[in-house]
């Protein structure tokens, strides 16, 4: 059995008999494979500890540790009692056998009840996988810790502990749809067969192999966009957390047999980056709009690109060059449209309705229209046109461009057109095998498929319109006047 099918079998085994726990079960196994930790927020009695015990049965070696913390918990409860014999020899050592420093999988309930007496040692153990016993710092075999809490941490001293849990998930009681199944559930969990279990050597080899995988360019652009979105939402993410996120995405891709971590692996991000539970929904909504498409080809970005090319065409096609006569004087157009060298001229003045105005020499302050003169029984020859000065428009000539300039424009446009055409073809491929990719991906929820497909269809339609605009712009650039 290959690695992917083996992991798929372990996921199915982990979920047996658990109702509405598919996502936390997958996250728990992925956390163990990645060497990270999972925090489950939720009320008691929602299978948090059961999930942790089951996770331990998937490991071929190592012990299991479980403890409930209170405000009054002491270090001995987690790290073991002090050795009396060592104290007699003036040595400060703990008997760690059967305690957290020697466990591979651990479950710590009410994790944020940890007090300052145990906090420093716990932080070092979770992050560095080391434990200070006496004057020695020793490596520990810890694979993953699943922690549970009914509430978020209170107090700045617990922020570092909160940050150690890369994956976070809110667990709720079983919903109405699954309640009948809960009442009639009759399932006894049994550990998987020995050949399915994961050894420490296999976990190390998987992480090393995953570390060699690259991130796809589209995923890198997505992470850049996501970082800006997080900044706008005022959701802080430390540099250490970003590095751990990348490690998790690579392990996700490696388990799926992918040559690189890509956009679909980013589905895990909403479980890694929220600080408050209500932020998880906003992250998921943002990701649903971007996960199935390359952010470098977002409709808004491409539309802005096409608009910029439209502006360039408007500038290149605009006949802004003034005409000159043989002596080099700039030419202007008079009222008859004939070229003259004078910038200002005289023309027959009109009223707001466009009617020509006249004046009577004997009544210089009076102004009449032709109709008014006729109504008065006057003779138009007895009146003089009322004149005004005006700025004559420049006589313009179409601009002719060097052939190299037009060729450069066309070459750049051809590159943009080809890039967009290739991406549209990629979108078509994405739509064709999206269902299959979602079904075969170990960590993805099938519910993602419909929203991702809708987003792909909308993006394809919008980008197809922009592709047509680019083709029309290319035709217009090709028709620009070219110098002889």
């Amino acid at each position: 059995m290959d690695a992917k099918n083996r992991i798929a079998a372990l996921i199915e085994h982990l979920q047996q008999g658990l109702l509405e726990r598919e996502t936390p079960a997958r996250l728990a196994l992925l956390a163990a494979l990645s060497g990270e930790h999972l925090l489950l927020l939720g009320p008691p009695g929602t299978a948090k500890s059961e999930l942790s015990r089951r996770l331990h049965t998937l490991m071929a070696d190592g012990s299991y540790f479980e403890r409930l913390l209170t405000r009054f918990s002491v270090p001995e409860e987690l790290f073991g009692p002090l050795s009396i014999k060592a104290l007699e020899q003036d040595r400060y050592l703990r008997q760690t056998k059967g305690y957290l420093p020697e466990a591979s999988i651990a479950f710590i309930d009410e994790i944020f009840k940890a007090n300052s007496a145990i906090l420093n040692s716990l932080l070092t153990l979770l992050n560095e996988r080391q434990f200070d016993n006496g004057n020695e710092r020793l490596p520990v075999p810890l694979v993953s810790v699943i922690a549970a809490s009914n509430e978020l941490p209170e107090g700045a001293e617990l922020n570092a502990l909160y940050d150690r849990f890369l994956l976070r998930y809110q667990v709720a009681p079983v919903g109405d749809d699954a309640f009948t199944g809960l009442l009639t559930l009759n399932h006894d969990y049994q550990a998987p067969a020995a050949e399915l279990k994961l050894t420490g050597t296999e976990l190390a080899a998987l992480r090393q192999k995953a570390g060699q995988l690259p991130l796809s360019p589209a995923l890198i652009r997505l992470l850049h966009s996501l970082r800006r979105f997080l900044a706008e939402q005022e959701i802080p993410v430390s540099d250490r957390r970003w590095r751990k996120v990348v490690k998790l995405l690579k392990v996700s891709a490696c388990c799926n047999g992918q040559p690189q971590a890509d956009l679909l692996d980013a589905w895990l991000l909403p479980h890694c980056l929220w600080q408050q539970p209500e932020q998880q929904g906003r992250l998921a909504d943002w990701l649903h709009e971007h996960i199935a498409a390359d952010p470098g080809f977002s409709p808004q970005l491409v539309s802005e690109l096409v608009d910029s090319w439209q502006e360039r065409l408007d500038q290149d096609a605009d006949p802004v060059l003034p005409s000159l006569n043989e002596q080099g004087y700039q030419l202007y157009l008079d009222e008859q449209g004939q070229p003259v060298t004078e910038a200002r001229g005289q023309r027959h003045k009109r009223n707001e309705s466009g009617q020509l105005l006249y004046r009577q020499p004997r009544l210089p302050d009076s102004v009449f229209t032709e109709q008014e003169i006729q109504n008065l029984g006057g003779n138009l020859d007895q009146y003089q046109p009322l004149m005004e000065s005006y700025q004559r428009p420049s006589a313009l000539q179409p601009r002719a461009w060097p052939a190299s300039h037009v060729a450069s424009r066309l070459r750049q446009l051809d590159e943009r057109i080809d890039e967009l055409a290739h991406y549209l073809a990629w979108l078509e491929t994405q739509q064709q095998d999206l269902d299959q990719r979602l079904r075969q991906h170990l960590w993805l929820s099938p519910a993602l498929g419909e929203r991702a497909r809708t987003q792909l269809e909308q993006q394809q339609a919008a980008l197809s319109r922009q592709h047509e605009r680019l083709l029309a712009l290319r035709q217009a650039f090709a028709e620009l006047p070219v110098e002889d």
Side-chain angles (χ1 to χ4, degrees):
M1 183 182 295
D2 63 18
K4 182 175 181 179
N5 289 330
R6 185 179 173 192
I7 294 173
L10 290 176
I11 292 174
E12 185 177 353
H13 201 90
L14 194 59
Q15 295 176 174
Q16 288 179 3
L18 294 180
L19 302 177
E20 298 182 347
R21 297 293 179 264
E22 293 83 2
T23 298
R26 291 170 186 261
L27 294 180
L29 181 55
L30 181 60
L33 295 172
S34 307
E36 295 298 338
H37 311 297
L38 170 65
L39 173 65
L40 299 176
L41 286 175
T46 49
K48 297 188 292 292
S49 59
E50 173 65 18
L51 188 59
S52 181
R53 297 186 195 106
R54 291 188 178 194
L55 179 64
H56 174 251
T57 67
L58 307 186
M59 303 296 138
D61 41 39
S63 60
Y64 177 72
F65 177 80
E66 183 175 320
R67 189 68 77 234
L68 169 65
L69 296 185
T70 70
R71 298 289 184 191
F72 308 103
S73 293
V74 294
E76 286 74 14
E77 296 180 43
L78 285 179
F79 311 120
L82 292 173
S83 170
I84 302 301
K85 289 185 178 181
L87 286 175
E88 292 174 351
Q89 301 172 7
D90 295 331
R91 297 166 58 213
Y92 191 87
L93 295 177
R94 293 190 180 277
Q95 298 282 1
T96 57
K97 186 175 182 180
Y99 289 88
L100 183 59
E102 296 195 13
S104 60
I105 300 294
F107 176 72
I108 303 178
D109 202 358
E110 296 299 337
I111 182 72
F112 298 122
K113 295 291 197 300
N115 54 53
S116 57
I118 62 177
L119 198 55
N120 287 339
S121 295
L122 184 57
L123 289 173
T124 303
L125 195 146
L126 290 174
N127 198 53
E128 281 82 21
R129 298 299 201 281
Q130 294 179 330
F131 176 67
D132 293 323
N133 198 2
N135 59 0
E136 291 185 292
R137 174 162 284 194
L138 304 173
V140 298
L142 186 66
V143 173
S144 180
V145 169
I146 295 181
S149 178
N150 297 327
E151 57 190 7
L152 290 173
E154 297 179 0
E157 69 277 3
L158 293 174
N159 287 341
L161 179 60
Y162 187 41
D163 193 55
R164 293 301 191 273
F165 292 89
L166 178 62
L167 289 160
R168 299 163 181 171
Y169 188 82
Q170 267 197 301
V171 183
V174 169
D176 293 339
D177 293 341
F179 186 61
T180 300
L182 179 66
L183 296 177
T184 58
L185 184 63
N186 185 15
H187 178 81
D188 293 327
Y189 177 78
Q190 294 182 352
E195 60 268 18
L196 283 179
K197 293 186 177 184
L198 300 167
T199 66
T201 302
E202 289 173 329
L203 291 175
L206 172 66
R207 293 169 195 163
Q208 183 178 12
K209 181 180 179 180
Q212 305 302 316
L213 296 184
L215 303 179
S216 71
L219 178 58
I220 292 175
R221 287 193 290 269
L222 178 76
L223 294 176
H224 275 281
S225 300
L226 178 57
R227 190 185 189 205
R228 290 191 292 270
F229 174 76
L230 292 170
E232 294 170 359
Q233 297 294 315
E234 298 182 349
I235 301 176
V237 179
S238 65
D239 292 345
R240 175 178 59 197
R241 197 167 194 82
W242 279 117
R243 291 295 304 158
K244 287 180 175 290
V245 163
V246 169
K247 174 185 173 184
L248 187 78
L249 298 181
K250 289 184 175 183
V251 170
S252 168
C254 186
C255 292
N256 281 291
Q258 300 168 199
Q260 61 183 3
D262 62 21
L263 291 173
L264 289 185
D265 296 302
W267 172 85
L268 299 162
L269 294 173
H271 300 295
C272 302
L273 300 175
W274 58 267
Q275 297 291 324
Q276 300 293 326
E278 60 271 14
Q279 296 169 347
Q280 198 272 343
R282 298 204 299 270
L283 282 168
D285 289 342
W286 183 90
L287 194 64
H288 276 302
E289 296 178 6
H290 298 81
I291 192 170
D294 190 329
F297 288 92
S298 70
Q300 179 181 358
L301 185 64
V302 175
S303 178
E304 292 173 356
L305 171 68
V306 178
D307 289 343
S308 69
W309 275 101
Q310 182 65 58
E311 292 177 1
R312 295 182 199 180
L313 175 63
D314 293 341
Q315 294 171 0
D316 287 1
D318 187 19
V320 295
L321 291 181
S323 294
L324 306 177
N325 64 8
E326 294 179 355
Q327 288 75 35
Y329 292 103
Q330 183 173 339
L331 297 175
Y332 301 89
L333 298 178
D334 62 12
E335 286 192 279
Q336 287 72 42
Q338 298 300 314
V340 295
T341 56
E342 293 81 11
R344 299 190 65 84
Q346 294 285 321
R347 66 183 176 189
H348 200 162
K349 190 173 183 179
R350 299 174 182 268
N351 63 9
E352 295 178 355
S353 301
Q355 297 172 308
L356 296 175
L357 298 177
Y358 299 86
R359 63 184 180 86
Q360 169 61 254
R362 291 176 298 175
L363 301 171
D365 296 331
S366 299
V367 178
F368 305 91
T369 66
E370 184 175 348
Q371 183 63 44
E372 289 173 341
I373 294 173
Q374 293 176 359
N375 293 339
L376 293 173
N379 188 344
L380 190 61
D381 294 336
Q382 299 174 350
Y383 291 79
Q384 297 177 347
L386 185 62
M387 306 300 291
E388 65 176 353
S389 298
Y390 75 102
Q391 178 71 37
R392 286 176 172 153
S394 299
L396 303 177
Q397 62 181 2
R399 171 181 288 178
W401 290 98
S404 59
H405 172 83
V406 176
S408 175
R409 294 291 205 211
L410 294 177
R411 183 173 61 254
Q412 295 175 50
L413 263 176
D414 286 339
E415 291 174 356
R416 303 291 84 76
I417 291 170
D418 289 344
E419 288 174 355
L420 188 52
H422 281 101
Y423 182 68
L424 285 169
W426 178 81
L427 277 181
E428 185 67 29
T429 304
Q430 291 289 96
Q431 287 181 303
Q432 291 174 356
D433 63 359
L434 181 62
D435 289 338
Q436 181 180 1
R437 294 175 67 199
L438 289 171
R439 283 195 305 268
Q440 294 180 351
H441 202 289
L442 292 171
W443 316 111
L444 288 186
S445 166
L448 177 67
E450 189 58 36
R451 294 187 66 176
R453 184 184 299 102
T454 301
Q455 194 265 345
L456 278 173
E457 291 173 351
Q458 293 174 348
Q459 188 185 44
Q460 186 177 34
L463 293 181
S464 295
R465 291 192 294 270
Q466 300 305 326
H467 186 256
E468 292 173 358
R469 288 183 62 195
L470 283 176
L471 291 175
L473 284 169
R474 191 197 187 284
Q475 181 65 30
F477 273 106
E479 295 174 354
L480 288 176
V482 178
E483 293 177 350
D484 295 335

